[in-house]
Every structure is written in structure tokens, then in C-alpha cells.
Amino acid sequence: MKRKSSYTKEDIIKASNGVMFGKENGKLPKPPMLMVDRITHISNSGGKYKKGEIVAEMNIDPDLWFFKCHFENDPVMPGCLGLDGLWQLLGFFLSWTGGTGRGRALGVKELKFKGQVRPYHSSIVYTIDIRKLVSRSMHMVWGDAVVRANKKEIYFAKDLQVGLFDNLVWDTGMDPRLDPF
């Protein structure tokens, strides 16, 4: 795969389908769980810590599935979906840097919601600064992030963590008791 510095929605869907990084590596969720429409910038240098950065966007449409059920007459995007978008991007970053295995969110040390995503917003912007990247026998990444709606910072996350794992067994025919999670 040729590494680019930006990706379209069509490119990102290829990562969901196992085409971009391979069937056993770095898949993103498929819509409607995919929380990213485009990556406008990705680099393994730069950012606040000079270890890499990601800037991505998601279009906000009043007809998105979660506005219909969260909450009646008070539609708001669940904060956990914005958080998942950040984890999705960190997993993409790991595969983009050459990591292999299936991605799993591992945690976040600190998270604050200072605003919300509503149906009248046109898009949200994710910005992630890579704090640490480990690429040895395992692949893990840590990052700090901000989510913006209408240029206002609304979510703040510190020490988001994602890893890639080769030994997940759900669809391999192996004994599920061997699954590390």
C-alpha cells in the first residue's frame, strides 16, 4: 500500500472492507458505526510531540441514525461515538505506519465533554497528537486529542490508547477461551 497524507471516504471504506491493509489487519468499522468521512492530514512526524498527527472530519447530517434515538426531541450525538472516532483514527494510524493485527481500543486516561454535536452542525473535526508509538512484537499507540464542532473545542481526550493484536480468535476456528480479551 502506498502511504498517503490524506484519505477520502472511498479510501476509508477500503480500510473497513479489509482492502487497504489486508483482511487480517487494521479494519475500521463499516457504516453506520464508522465515525470518519475523510482524513485531511496524517503524518508520522509533527504534532505537539513531534511523533505524528492526524486531522480528520465527519460530516454531520440531521438524518444520522443516532439523532433519531438519542434523545427524542433533544437530538445529540452520543459522546462515546466521538470517542470511538478517535480510537478508529488511532487504529488507522497504527496500520498506516505498517502495524499488523486487529485493532482494539485499550483506554483513555482522561476525557472531558465541554460541548455537544447537534444536527445543525455541518461537521466535526478530530485532531490527534501522537504521544508514543511502539512497533516491535506488538503495535500500540497513545495520543491526545481534541474534537471540534463549528470550530469550537468540545471534547478533550488525554492518553487514548489503541493496540493491534495477532492472536484474536473469534473467526479463526480456534477455541474462544484462548482469546486474550
Side-chain angles (χ1 to χ4, degrees):
M1 176 207 72
K2 181 179 182 281
R3 242 175 25 175
K4 302 188 305 183
S5 61
S6 63
Y7 292 86
T8 65
K9 177 75 172 228
E10 293 77 24
D11 293 330
I12 292 169
I13 294 295
K14 289 178 184 174
S16 296
N17 293 329
V19 173
M20 184 176 288
F21 302 118
K23 290 186 183 252
E24 300 299 321
N25 298 312
K27 287 185 186 174
L28 288 172
K30 291 184 176 190
M33 195 60 204
L34 181 63
M35 294 289 118
V36 179
D37 285 314
R38 69 198 144 276
I39 297 172
T40 58
H41 177 73
I42 185 169
S43 170
N44 59 356
S45 62
K48 182 177 176 182
Y49 305 104
K50 309 291 185 224
K51 295 182 180 193
E53 60 188 341
I54 310 162
V55 180
E57 298 175 355
M58 178 183 172
N59 298 331
I60 301 301
D61 180 326
D63 292 326
L64 285 166
W65 65 273
F66 45 78
F67 288 134
K68 293 172 181 35
C69 57
H70 191 266
F71 299 97
E72 187 172 2
N73 299 319
D74 183 22
V76 61
M77 177 177 160
C80 61
L81 293 180
L83 175 61
D84 202 73
L86 294 169
W87 280 323
Q88 290 173 21
L89 288 163
L90 281 171
F92 185 95
F93 182 84
L94 275 178
S95 296
W96 179 84
T97 60
T100 58
R102 296 178 183 175
R104 294 295 186 264
L106 298 174
V108 58
K109 190 176 209 176
E110 185 178 325
L111 179 65
K112 295 200 185 295
F113 297 120
K114 301 281 186 161
Q116 55 192 351
V117 179
R118 299 287 243 169
Y120 56 79
H121 290 119
S122 58
S123 66
I124 58 173
V125 177
Y126 301 100
T127 304
I128 304 173
D129 293 301
I130 304 302
R131 291 178 61 89
K132 183 178 178 181
L133 173 67
V134 173
S135 290
R136 295 188 191 105
S137 61
M138 64 162 45
H139 306 280
M140 297 182 99
V141 66
W142 291 259
D144 293 345
V146 174
V147 177
R148 291 176 182 80
N150 288 0
K151 299 183 181 179
K152 180 183 175 190
E153 295 180 345
I154 59 169
Y155 302 173
F156 304 85
K158 297 237 182 239
D159 272 339
L160 292 150
Q161 186 180 6
V162 171
L164 294 178
F165 300 89
D166 291 323
N167 57 346
L168 300 179
V169 301
W170 176 255
D171 62 352
T172 62
M174 294 175 61
D175 185 341
R177 293 174 292 182
L178 301 175
D179 204 330
F181 287 97

